[in-house]
Amino acid sequence: MSFIDIEEIDLVYRNSEGDEAGDGTLALSGATLRMDKGEFIALVGPSGCGKSTLLKVIAGLIRANKGKVVVAGEEVTRPLKIVGMAFQNPTLLPWRSTRANVLLPLEIVQPHRKQFRANKAKYEAMADALLETVGLDGFGDSAPWQLSGGMQQRAQLCRALVHEPDLLLLDEPFGALDAFTREELWDVLQKLYVERGCTVILVTHDLREAVYLADTVYVMSARPGKVILDRKIELARPRKLDDMYGRDVVELIHDLRDHIHVARSDE
């Protein structure tokens, strides 16, 4: 059985509380996707096609109106505890230190929540080890406002991983960063993925980012979104930026761009 199995889901955003399901905005229609445990996939497609919505459905933050979502052998009916999430904006709490921000999931998610006070020193050591892994050694006591945008995103990745989730969901985590910082963080994420071995779904508009990081890239149609194409990425890990300039990779990126262009023109 697949680790994630999404079967023909529809999702409607209601325009108001009193709307019937069919009277709102159809965000996803017949969306189907399967992935194995430990796989890294990327979702790409036109703006507004439902990529972020699909992540929320998988995480159990919103319920589909039709179809079935199964993660780790269980149907998703509520928010999942096995998920770590990171977004385009780091959303670090300004009144907490960088280390305290990283520790936040351990104060909330069971079974860590029950053990947090008794094991605080252990958990702080875990947070510091993660910060060191992403190049933030020595910044645990710093306030978020003392960190650059790229450093805040590194801290956000640590927060998403500190409770050792089985599933990491990333919603354009590098979209607001400059090109050089973004490429640096590709390597950070690749390193974390190889070391942690968790299952990862990345939503991105950057096709180079998708190809650099993912095992498989899925293209979604214009709204209402569904998966219309998948492409395996035949690149050995660890990957390097020079790999992005090879002829096969360049052709693959152009092919993905052409499919998204067609999907956008069908809106």
Side-chain angles (χ1 to χ4, degrees):
M1 178 181 290
S2 302
F3 182 68
I4 295 178
D5 196 341
I6 300 169
E7 191 70 37
E8 295 286 332
I9 64 168
D10 293 357
L11 186 135
V12 176
Y13 282 118
R14 299 188 183 188
N15 295 326
S16 63
E17 188 175 342
D19 278 349
E20 295 297 327
D23 295 335
T25 299
L26 184 60
L28 299 171
S29 178
T32 297
L33 185 149
R34 292 178 182 85
M35 65 181 298
D36 295 329
K37 187 174 178 60
E39 190 177 0
F40 192 135
I41 73 167
L43 296 176
V44 300
S47 295
C49 71
K51 301 184 294 294
S52 297
T53 296
L54 188 55
L55 280 194
K56 293 173 185 175
V57 171
I58 293 169
L61 300 178
I62 53 178
R63 291 284 304 274
N65 301 92
K66 179 183 176 183
K68 193 173 184 180
V69 179
V70 177
V71 176
E74 295 187 10
E75 185 172 0
V76 177
T77 59
R78 61 178 64 87
L80 296 178
K81 297 179 181 179
I82 64 169
V83 168
M85 298 190 75
F87 307 92
Q88 182 171 346
N89 296 316
T91 62
L92 300 179
L93 301 178
W95 59 88
R96 295 176 70 111
S97 69
T98 299
R99 182 187 300 106
N101 268 286
V102 172
L103 288 170
L104 190 59
L106 299 177
E107 299 177 38
I108 298 171
V109 177
Q110 298 290 15
H112 306 289
R113 180 179 177 181
K114 290 181 181 178
Q115 307 166 2
F116 185 79
R117 288 190 179 181
N119 295 320
K120 187 173 181 181
K122 171 189 170 183
Y123 288 144
E124 286 180 339
M126 289 170 55
D128 285 340
L130 261 178
L131 289 169
E132 182 177 0
T133 298
V134 302
L136 290 180
D137 187 27
F139 287 92
D141 293 322
S142 299
W145 59 266
Q146 294 176 301
L147 306 181
S148 67
M151 294 167 75
Q152 290 184 34
Q153 283 294 11
R154 291 169 192 253
Q156 181 181 210
L157 285 174
C158 291
R159 183 177 61 187
L161 288 166
V162 71
H163 60 298
E164 299 181 338
D166 292 328
L167 177 60
L168 181 62
L169 303 179
L170 305 173
D171 193 355
E172 296 189 65
F174 312 134
L177 302 174
D178 65 86
F180 293 108
T181 303
R182 191 160 61 240
E183 289 174 353
E184 286 180 3
L185 290 182
W186 293 355
D187 286 333
V188 170
L189 178 55
Q190 178 178 218
K191 179 182 178 182
L192 290 171
Y193 167 66
V194 171
E195 290 180 352
R196 296 273 166 159
C198 59
T199 307
V200 184
I201 304 178
L202 168 71
V203 166
T204 180
H205 284 102
D206 189 329
L207 297 180
R208 291 177 67 246
E209 179 173 289
V211 171
Y212 189 80
L213 289 168
D215 300 313
T216 308
V217 178
Y218 289 84
V219 177
M220 294 184 64
S221 67
R223 189 174 66 239
K226 62 181 177 181
V227 175
I228 58 173
L229 179 77
D230 65 87
R231 286 286 185 268
K232 291 286 185 183
I233 309 302
E234 304 294 344
L235 287 174
R237 297 185 188 275
R239 297 170 184 172
K240 301 178 181 179
L241 285 173
D242 288 346
D243 295 333
M244 294 296 97
Y245 299 100
R247 180 175 178 178
D248 291 344
V249 172
V250 171
E251 289 180 353
L252 172 58
I253 291 172
H254 283 308
D255 180 57
L256 291 169
R257 184 174 288 110
D258 288 343
H259 280 89
I260 294 172
H261 177 73
V262 170
R264 184 182 289 118
S265 66
D266 290 339
E267 291 184 74

